[in-house]
Amino acid sequence: MKPPVLLTRKLPASVMARLEASCAVEQCEGDGLAARREFLTRVAGKQALVSMVTDTVDRTVIEAGDALQIIANVAVGYNNIDVAAARERGIIVTNTPDVLTDATADFTLALMLAVTRRLGEGERMLRRGDWKGWAFDQLLGMQLHGKQLGIVGLGRIGRAVAARAQAFGMTIAHTSRSDAGMPLDRLLATSDVVSLHVPLTGETRHLIGQPELARMKRTAYLINTTRGPVVDEAALAWALKNQLIAGAALDVYEHEPQVHADLLTLENVVLAPHLGSATTETRTAMADLAVRNVIAVLGGDPPLTPVT
Ligand code: NAP
């Protein structure tokens, strides 16, 4: 008998084939509230759960999953999972580090360039039919070369962003809890671009709020590709509206898929719909790593990438 496994979303065909070769796979189909009810019913009796960043795997789900041995999240962040509740029941939680680092770092640079070079503003102007031709002083942005990039959280993605930014001629400052990084206050006050790469935890929720935004240079930009709640979105909208900072570029939001109404009306913010790791290659590699974790654990082997 193949062990039963629950998927909350469909995975790429090659990865599904690998999983189906050794497991009996069931997949959730509902949306919204129906999805939550279906999730709770279907997780019962399953030995593994493959979850996505949008699935809230809280204590209720974990208790309903009476036979779970592993929860394999298809993401590096695992703030959607109650890891302590899983641990209490001896359930292994895994994530997908490394395989998404390059894609997410590339996208961070894409956002940084888009906001500092006013790409969104320019495209909107052109599509509206308001472009009257080349002008010497039209939509002047900020050059990255020679500017300081402040990286908040110099982990895998933070380092990959730093390497790319150095190639653009930027100098790097970073915060860290574990080595001699720059204190956050000083990083905020001295950086021309601030990019957030800390995981979402109790400690980092609203790490950037009104006082922190007020500390930044008026000419500086904020980039958030980590998790929405790391930034107080209402405070950010206020800071952008009052030109306390020059601009922001966001991939993640406090209440996805909702975006603060004021942000939608402002020109000095670039808004992306959570695309950090969204390349075909990376999403396939993430799904593959999650499935290899499931196969390992259900086969009695240690997980490849456990959350510790
Ligand atoms: P990582 O290697 O664990 O890096 C996170 C870094 O944050 C660590 O090096 C840690 O450094 C630092 N940190 C943790 N708590 C902190 C705190 N309270 N204050 C300051 N620094 C703190 O993780 P990663 O692979 O780079 O991924 C980072 C995050 O990116 C994920 O958690 C996820 O939320 C996000 N992400 C988003 C997307 C997207 O689609 N937009 C895609 C992938 C990942 P120290 O321990 O040295 O302080």
Side-chain angles (χ1 to χ4, degrees), residues 76-79 97-98 100-101 104 107 152-159 175-179 196-201 203-204 207 224-227 251-252 274-278 283:
V76 67
Y78 46 85
N79 51 284
D98 299 314
L100 44 59
T101 298
T104 310
F107 198 70
V152 182
L154 194 71
R156 287 170 292 246
I157 296 170
R159 277 177 216 282
T175 63
S176 171
R177 296 171 304 172
S178 48
D179 68 17
L196 307 176
H197 300 287
V198 289
L200 173 60
T201 63
E203 230 186 317
T204 62
L207 184 69
N224 187 11
T225 57
T226 188
R227 286 287 182 266
D251 187 38
V252 287
H274 205 147
L275 296 177
S277 65
R283 287 285 163 84

Side-chain angles (χ1 to χ4, degrees), residues 245-303:
I245 62 172
L250 311 173
D251 187 38
V252 287
Y253 305 88
E254 262 198 276
H255 308 288
E256 293 179 16
Q258 276 146 39
V259 177
H260 193 285
D262 290 350
L263 292 178
L264 296 170
T265 66
L266 292 167
E267 283 291 355
N268 55 347
V269 57
V270 172
L271 305 168
H274 205 147
L275 296 177
S277 65
T279 68
T280 306
E281 297 87 341
T282 296
R283 287 285 163 84
T284 304
M286 290 163 70
D288 191 61
L289 180 53
V291 157
R292 284 192 290 128
N293 271 307
V294 167
I295 293 170
V297 169
L298 298 188
D301 291 324

